[in-house]
Amino acid sequence: MWGNPPAVLRVCPCGRSMSNSSDTSSPVVSSHVSLCDEGEDGAAEDDGSWAKNGAGDAMLEQLKVLEPSDRVRELQTILRDSTTSRGDFIFYADRLIRVMVEEGLNCLPSYKRTVITPTGHEYEGEWFEKWNCAVSILRSGEAMEKGLRECCRSMRIGKILIRRDQDTKLPRVYYAKFPPQVDKRQILLLHPVLESGATAKEALNILKEHGVREEKIHIISLFATPRGVHKLLKDYPKITILTSEVHPCSPSHFGMTYFGSD
Amino acid sequence: MRNGGRGERASLRRAAGAVLSESAGKKETMELEDGEEALGGGERVISVSSSDSGSEGDEVAALPADTTSPRGNKASTPRKSSTPGERRRRTIYIAGRPPWYDSHGQIAEAFVIGLAGGSASGKTTVARRIIESLGVPWVSLLSMDSFYKALTPEQNKKAAENEYNFDRPDAFDMDLLVETLQKLKEGKHVEIPIYDFSTHAHAKYKHTMYGANVVVFEGIMAFCHAPLLKLMDLKIFVDTDSDIRLARRLRRDIAERGRDLEGVLKQYNKFVKPAFHQFIQPTMQYADIVVPRGGQNRVAVQLIVEHVKDQLKQRGFNNRPKLLAGQRETEALPDSVHILPNKPQVKAMHTVIRNKETKRDDFVFFTNRLACLAMEYAHSFLPFQDVAVITPQGDEYSGKRFNGKLCGVSIMRAGEVLEPALLSVCKEATIGKILIQTNETTDEPALHFLRLPSDISQRHVILMDATIATGAAAIMAIRILLDHDVPQENIIFVTMLAARLGIQTLAYSFPHVRIITTAVDPKVSRDYHILPGVGNYGDRYFGTEPD
């Protein structure tokens, strides 16, 4: 279901609105990937560095965007619509979270396993290795925990609370609690909206401090901006980022609408 | 009359207790026949048995074992055929409707028997005898009485004075009748108007009658309209002596409809008798068979039944072995089949649900998880429209919305395992049900119960069943939806596991129906199990498997 990254990242050179999925599904041969950003200045900067950067292709491999489909686009549309009621918002957010969590779980290592069916025949299946856990970045990351629990009833969940420092205005880790031997585990980092990338960066730093290797970290987000993705992958090229959409406009209201607090 | 007492006993017994088993039903039928041997004996049965009801329209036989009373009270109880679930005290759950289409889901036309004859000639008795002896599980009885035109106030006044002429062809809504019979013949469901003989108007509500393998159509003027004649496969004229008919009519109208002798005779002489000679008797020439003496003529009924049975055999409905014979392992799957991408998580979920050691707790949990993925995937195939919305950040965002109406229809019982998933994806989905069970003796699927949203033809339908083996039940379910005017393009069939054979059959039979499954297995065994398969899905999910 993952799109070919260059095709998916063919995001609007136009600026704010994104092309319809019917367009994006058309084959793209161009090797040039253009990303636009919120501010025009930023767009130019990002665009240039991405295209010039020799590591551009490798970075794209670490970004997995859900293959565009009308059904996912509908979820995104509802979540971005300012007229959506909170009840609908939660319902459709949960749906999108569920889709992304299911996709995220596919990143975990698995092995072959054969079972016998009630008809007495063999079925060649697959099963997952142990040593996984999720870590949610508070507060909005907690919105994804329900979806995760609906798929994995007993997965261990760590938490990181990150807030902006009153004085420096920079994000700072206030609290972190991880499952034991977190460095041995594959980590699904739950972070619904990847905007500037600053918060996620703090989270990655603290995970690194606990000895977690980059390649074991999979960020599961719903929405990501090109700016944020680029920033993270530049500093942490081996992590994996999953998202349903890369779009310059970030639905920064997500956490507040989901939890109903202003 | 000599056996009238026995008939009364039988009907009293019927009135007292519900007929709950097939064997009991058959026994009752026999007793009823015993009791009716004497001419007119049935009339006594009628008056007694009508007290046992309050359930209108029970009159129609939908089953051979149906022991419904021969109520002559046509006036207040227009006939209908109804789905088994709507009927009380019936043996119907034992025999559902067998397939009414060929192995590719294409419609085989119903066999239509037309019954005409003078008023009170015993058409109903003949019809009932035929239905009882046929032994065909799904028969609809359509009465021309339901199709009287509604009267104007002026005509109504005349009718009260016995001055209105009901006995002529243009008293009936022939166009509606032709349309209705045509649809029934095609196996579609129809709405039958309810004619109220006290007000001579149509009731607000209509009865729904479902297509059948055999449709019996009866009425005094059944042969008076050429387009109607064309729809009949067998035309029977019931010819009863006019004295006997008048005697019966007098008794019926006076005893049951509370009318006076004077008025009945007036109407008879003025309208009924002339109409018989003018319109009804001449149509005898169109009949294939004339049955003298009505319902007592057992030889005639037996001959008719043999002929109909013969015809039905030629049309042959025995699909499952045919489907199995078509097993092709190598052929590519048609484009309308969509398999959930086989990712590690999907495989892992299958590993759980297929493992015979899996406990029900895990089986249910992973079924729900997998079903949610299947349902999300199925939603990809709905038609979405472009919309533009304004985000809280003040930007315009061009997105997509599905603006149509959706409903789910689950094939009971196993299809219900997908319902929670449907509701987790579409929180307001309307859900309809179709109960299809395999007939143990014939191994064919049989339709037992149906409840669909009334506006289903306007909706996109997600049809759900846990597994597709030969595809026989799925074909029946899709056929039902088509009979309810749902276009193929609006049907998405979602299943947890399909055998290659069944999914191919289904896709080739209905090329425009989308079929979504989470996995396709290579084989179907001779006893119709998917291999390697998952076992009995419904039993494992609901915990009803034998120890």
Side-chain angles (χ1 to χ4, degrees):
Chain A
M1 200 181 278
W2 298 113
N4 191 15
V8 175
L9 268 183
R10 191 186 54 99
V11 187
C12 50
C14 57
R16 303 218 166 250
S17 65
M18 198 165 154
S19 51
N20 293 326
S21 65
S22 52
D23 297 339
T24 38
S25 62
S26 63
V28 175
V29 197
S30 162
S31 60
H32 173 75
V33 178
S34 73
L35 285 166
C36 63
D37 206 343
E38 261 175 298
E40 278 172 23
D41 303 350
E45 190 194 318
D46 271 358
D47 220 316
S49 60
W50 196 293
K52 280 178 225 149
N53 190 345
D57 285 345
M59 286 164 79
L60 285 177
E61 276 172 28
Q62 297 306 107
L63 171 65
K64 297 185 175 184
V65 184
L66 204 60
E67 188 180 310
S69 75
D70 288 357
R71 131 185 92 96
V72 174
R73 177 54 73 85
E74 181 182 45
L75 300 178
Q76 294 157 349
T77 307
I78 294 169
L79 297 180
R80 284 178 182 275
D81 189 344
S82 56
T83 62
T84 301
S85 70
R86 191 167 160 252
D88 275 357
F89 188 92
I90 292 170
F91 180 83
Y92 290 100
D94 284 343
R95 246 184 87 186
L96 187 58
I97 287 166
R98 184 82 183 259
V99 170
M100 288 313 299
V101 165
E102 286 281 5
E103 291 300 344
L105 291 170
N106 280 319
C107 297
L108 302 175
S110 61
Y111 60 93
K112 293 254 176 291
R113 178 179 174 186
T114 302
V115 294
I116 307 294
T117 72
T119 61
H121 288 67
E122 284 191 355
Y123 176 79
E124 269 187 44
E126 225 167 295
W127 199 241
F128 282 84
E129 305 277 3
K130 290 192 166 171
W131 295 103
N132 306 308
C133 76
V135 171
S136 62
I137 302 178
L138 303 188
R139 205 174 40 144
S140 57
E142 280 190 312
M144 299 178 77
E145 287 182 17
K146 181 170 156 250
L148 182 81
R149 281 268 179 262
E150 280 168 3
C151 296
C152 300
R153 286 168 289 188
S154 58
M155 189 180 259
R156 292 171 196 261
I157 301 180
K159 311 229 181 200
I160 306 174
L161 175 62
I162 296 171
R163 298 185 70 186
R164 271 183 206 283
D165 192 289
Q166 297 286 343
D167 304 325
T168 63
K169 304 288 177 203
L170 289 172
R172 209 186 105 193
V173 175
Y174 278 74
Y175 169 85
K177 180 87 181 169
F178 300 122
Q181 293 179 286
V182 68
D183 55 318
K184 283 178 75 178
R185 299 175 188 274
Q186 296 282 332
I187 290 172
L188 301 176
L189 190 58
L190 309 179
H191 186 42
V193 183
L194 180 59
E195 195 169 357
S196 68
T199 307
K201 211 174 154 183
E202 282 305 307
L204 291 172
N205 279 340
I206 189 139
L207 281 172
K208 246 187 159 172
E209 279 172 28
H210 281 75
V212 179
R213 296 216 313 274
E214 264 182 45
E215 53 268 35
K216 287 194 169 183
I217 301 174
H218 314 272
I219 297 182
I220 306 180
S221 71
L222 307 181
F223 302 96
T225 62
R227 189 161 56 104
V229 168
H230 187 218
K231 184 173 177 180
L232 281 186
L233 288 181
K234 209 162 102 186
D235 293 350
Y236 302 91
K238 288 178 189 162
I239 60 164
T240 316
I241 301 176
L242 283 76
T243 186
S244 81
E245 185 185 33
V246 179
H247 192 282
C249 308
S250 179
S252 47
H253 59 289
F254 184 88
M256 281 196 287
T257 314
Y258 192 94
F259 291 108
S261 57
D262 296 319
Chain B
M1 293 305 281
R2 58 185 198 284
N3 283 327
R6 289 173 67 186
E8 193 167 314
R9 271 207 311 280
S11 64
L12 276 170
R13 207 169 305 142
R14 188 172 51 251
V19 180
L20 286 172
S21 73
E22 189 166 38
S23 58
K26 278 188 177 143
K27 203 169 146 212
E28 286 248 348
T29 310
M30 282 166 56
E31 283 186 354
L32 189 69
E33 282 172 3
D34 266 4
E36 276 197 345
E37 238 159 74
L39 167 66
E43 300 285 317
R44 295 193 59 163
V45 177
I46 293 160
S47 54
V48 177
S49 67
S50 57
S51 65
D52 81 331
S53 68
S55 53
E56 296 224 334
D58 267 2
E59 211 166 343
V60 170
L63 269 188
D66 192 311
T67 59
T68 6
S69 64
R71 257 184 290 161
N73 194 3
K74 290 182 198 173
S76 59
T77 57
R79 290 131 197 192
K80 64 156 184 177
S81 166
S82 57
T83 55
E86 291 169 357
R87 302 167 63 95
R88 289 167 289 172
R89 309 169 294 140
R90 293 293 157 221
T91 58
I92 256 164
Y93 297 98
I94 292 154
R97 184 182 183 190
W100 58 100
Y101 42 79
D102 64 19
S103 62
H104 292 289
Q106 300 309 308
I107 276 286
E109 285 195 334
F111 191 86
V112 179
I113 302 173
L115 268 167
S119 171
S121 60
K123 296 183 292 298
T124 317
T125 315
V126 173
R128 210 181 65 251
R129 286 271 154 79
I130 291 174
I131 291 166
E132 280 166 3
S133 320
L134 253 183
V136 176
W138 208 277
V139 182
S140 292
L141 177 55
L142 180 69
S143 171
M144 213 168 164
D145 289 356
S146 307
F147 293 87
Y148 274 114
K149 287 177 186 163
L151 299 190
T152 61
E154 203 174 303
Q155 289 169 327
N156 223 329
K157 209 172 146 201
K158 270 178 137 181
E161 293 158 7
N162 299 315
E163 292 283 345
Y164 182 79
N165 188 359
F166 287 98
D167 296 77
R168 57 198 167 85
D170 59 2
F172 296 92
D173 189 342
M174 288 293 186
D175 293 340
L176 181 64
L177 191 47
V178 171
E179 192 194 318
T180 305
L181 196 59
Q182 177 72 45
K183 277 184 105 174
L184 273 182
K185 194 178 165 82
E186 288 166 11
K188 295 191 171 176
H189 85 292
V190 291
E191 301 282 311
I192 309 288
I194 301 171
Y195 191 79
D196 186 336
F197 276 82
S198 56
T199 60
H200 301 291
H202 293 292
K204 246 193 235 163
Y205 304 102
K206 291 183 173 184
H207 287 307
T208 302
M209 185 188 264
Y210 292 99
N213 296 350
V214 176
V215 176
V216 180
F217 168 63
E218 64 89 19
I220 50 172
M221 310 252 174
F223 298 168
C224 287
H225 192 57
L228 272 180
L229 282 173
K230 279 191 199 145
L231 295 173
M232 298 174 202
D233 297 295
L234 176 65
K235 296 180 274 290
I236 303 166
F237 192 93
V238 183
D239 188 25
T240 306
D241 186 82
S242 57
D243 295 346
I244 294 175
R245 289 196 289 108
L246 174 60
R248 284 186 192 164
R249 198 177 160 106
L250 283 174
R251 174 159 43 197
R252 188 178 72 195
D253 281 2
I254 295 169
E256 289 165 32
R257 299 187 185 172
R259 298 182 31 199
D260 59 286
L261 180 68
E262 205 64 10
V264 177
L265 282 177
K266 177 178 166 190
Q267 192 192 3
Y268 184 84
N269 285 322
K270 190 161 179 186
F271 299 121
V272 180
K273 191 174 159 66
F276 179 76
H277 292 294
Q278 191 187 344
F279 300 116
I280 300 172
Q281 201 172 34
T283 62
M284 203 198 286
Q285 60 176 308
Y286 302 119
D288 301 309
I289 302 169
V290 176
V291 180
R293 303 187 310 282
Q296 306 165 69
N297 194 333
R298 287 168 184 275
V299 178
V301 169
Q302 209 44 51
L303 283 171
I304 292 165
V305 165
E306 288 308 317
H307 174 75
V308 176
K309 274 185 179 167
D310 220 43
Q311 292 289 312
L312 287 175
K313 206 182 261 172
Q314 282 179 29
R315 296 184 180 200
F317 304 105
N318 198 13
N319 289 332
R320 266 207 172 123
K322 267 190 224 160
L323 293 176
L324 202 55
Q327 192 149 196
R328 291 156 295 204
E329 282 179 37
T330 49
E331 216 166 293
L333 290 170
D335 295 343
S336 59
V337 174
H338 302 271
I339 306 168
L340 191 68
N342 196 13
K343 295 192 186 170
Q345 284 293 337
V346 173
K347 265 221 138 141
M349 289 183 239
H350 267 284
T351 310
V352 177
I353 63 172
R354 287 161 179 274
N355 189 347
K356 65 174 181 184
E357 307 294 337
T358 298
K359 297 275 183 290
R360 193 164 60 256
D361 179 38
D362 281 339
F363 188 82
V364 169
F365 177 81
F366 284 96
T367 292
N368 286 343
R369 222 185 116 187
L370 188 55
C372 276
L373 280 181
M375 216 44 95
E376 277 285 351
Y377 187 52
H379 265 61
S380 310
F381 300 97
L382 293 171
F384 289 86
Q385 275 92 46
D386 292 327
V387 290
V389 298
I390 304 295
T391 69
Q393 292 75 33
D395 301 301
E396 192 181 291
Y397 180 85
S398 59
K400 294 272 182 185
R401 284 306 294 260
F402 168 67
N403 293 323
K405 283 202 287 182
L406 191 72
C407 80
V409 172
S410 49
I411 301 174
M412 281 163 72
R413 176 182 61 152
E416 288 175 334
V417 308
L418 284 141
E419 281 180 17
L422 175 66
L423 292 172
S424 75
V425 172
C426 177
K427 56 182 171 180
E428 282 150 6
T430 312
I431 292 186
K433 307 256 182 188
I434 297 176
L435 176 61
I436 295 174
Q437 299 280 285
T438 298
N439 182 319
E440 301 283 332
T441 49
T442 64
D443 267 336
E444 289 290 323
L447 170 65
H448 293 258
F449 171 77
L450 196 56
R451 175 122 318 160
L452 300 174
S454 53
D455 58 349
I456 192 163
S457 61
Q458 317 296 320
R459 290 173 183 265
H460 289 265
V461 180
I462 292 192
L463 186 58
M464 302 173 276
D465 200 0
T467 53
I468 302 177
T470 58
I475 287 178
M476 180 175 268
I478 292 176
R479 191 66 251 171
I480 290 165
L481 294 181
L482 298 180
D483 291 349
H484 283 74
D485 296 321
V486 180
Q488 276 193 36
E489 291 76 9
N490 287 5
I491 303 174
I492 300 175
F493 194 105
V494 184
T495 184
M496 304 294 285
L497 176 64
R500 177 170 275 273
L501 158 77
I503 210 164
Q504 275 172 340
T505 310
L506 200 58
Y508 287 124
S509 305
F510 306 107
H512 302 296
V513 172
R514 302 250 181 207
I515 305 164
I516 315 296
T517 180
T518 67
V520 176
D521 273 12
K523 280 207 173 99
V524 177
S525 69
R526 279 212 190 139
D527 48 357
Y528 311 116
H529 290 129
I530 303 173
L531 303 178
V534 64
N536 185 322
Y537 216 109
D539 275 350
R540 292 186 74 191
Y541 187 92
F542 294 108
T544 52
E545 66 269 58
D547 290 328

